[in-house]
Amino acid sequence: MVLLIHRTHYWGRDPIEATLSRQNQQVNVDFPLIWTQAVRDGDKSCCYGFGPRRLELENADVCREHLGTWHLYLVEEVQGNSEDHYFFNFVAFPKGSYGLGKAACSRKGWKFAGSFSATDTKSDFDHLLQGFMSNATEHNHTHVGFKMETFDPYI
């Protein structure tokens, strides 16, 4: 099962608001996101620069934002420090989001990676992200930014 880990410096109990971060600008995304790292169950998340606190985004969190179908797009693929080290950045947003139709996303250079159900986000990601996850020969960082207003791990 894929785990979706959000790293943060924030230690409070208020909901975490989506942000327009430097990472958004790098990947041509002009709307606020909650960024996560996708890892297999049992694997450690990395990218500690985003914060030491590790929170898991659950299917219920995605459902609270939009109960229905979501789209997943690959927005950036960058080689890391070695030839077996890659960064894959995706964005996920509710189907029918204004200004994010297939033609508009294609003009931004984004590649459609598939659709998923909010209720089955993590199990659907097992299939959608399969070729992008770390394995015995590649060390991949797979990040997914969710178009959500807030993330509240305490609900």
Side-chain angles (χ1 to χ4, degrees), residues 110-130:
W110 299 356
K111 297 176 187 166
F112 183 68
S115 296
F116 62 95
S117 166
T119 57
D120 297 319
T121 299
K122 290 163 62 172
S123 62
D124 287 351
F125 274 24
D126 275 338
H127 304 290
L128 292 171
L129 299 178
Q130 185 174 21

Side-chain angles (χ1 to χ4, degrees), residues 39 92 98 115 135:
V39 297
Y98 180 78
S115 296
N135 58 44

Side-chain angles (χ1 to χ4, degrees), residues 52-155:
R53 188 172 183 202
R54 180 185 190 273
L55 300 168
E56 189 174 340
L57 188 80
E58 300 288 352
N59 291 349
D61 299 310
V62 179
C63 290
R64 273 190 289 281
E65 184 67 30
H66 174 76
L67 183 60
T69 301
W70 288 61
H71 288 312
L72 183 69
Y73 277 84
L74 177 64
V75 297
E76 182 183 47
E77 180 178 339
V78 177
Q79 187 169 355
N81 297 328
S82 62
E83 64 183 53
D84 61 345
H85 187 209
Y86 289 91
F87 292 86
F88 298 102
N89 290 311
F90 292 84
V91 293
F93 52 83
K95 179 180 177 181
S97 294
Y98 180 78
L100 294 174
K102 288 185 179 180
C105 292
S106 180
R107 281 192 298 275
K108 291 176 182 258
W110 299 356
K111 297 176 187 166
F112 183 68
S115 296
F116 62 95
S117 166
T119 57
D120 297 319
T121 299
K122 290 163 62 172
S123 62
D124 287 351
F125 274 24
D126 275 338
H127 304 290
L128 292 171
L129 299 178
Q130 185 174 21
F132 301 97
M133 304 295 283
S134 288
N135 58 44
T137 59
E138 294 180 338
H139 178 65
N140 297 335
H141 296 260
T142 305
H143 296 271
V144 182
F146 284 84
K147 188 177 189 293
M148 303 170 69
E149 296 290 322
T150 61
F151 168 44
D152 190 348
Y154 301 105
I155 293 180

Side-chain angles (χ1 to χ4, degrees), residues 28-70:
N28 195 23
V29 176
D30 57 359
F31 48 87
L33 297 168
I34 297 290
W35 281 101
T36 65
Q37 183 181 11
V39 297
R40 288 197 175 90
D41 194 6
D43 289 351
K44 293 182 179 181
S45 64
C46 56
C47 302
Y48 298 103
F50 291 103
R53 188 172 183 202
R54 180 185 190 273
L55 300 168
E56 189 174 340
L57 188 80
E58 300 288 352
N59 291 349
D61 299 310
V62 179
C63 290
R64 273 190 289 281
E65 184 67 30
H66 174 76
L67 183 60
T69 301
W70 288 61

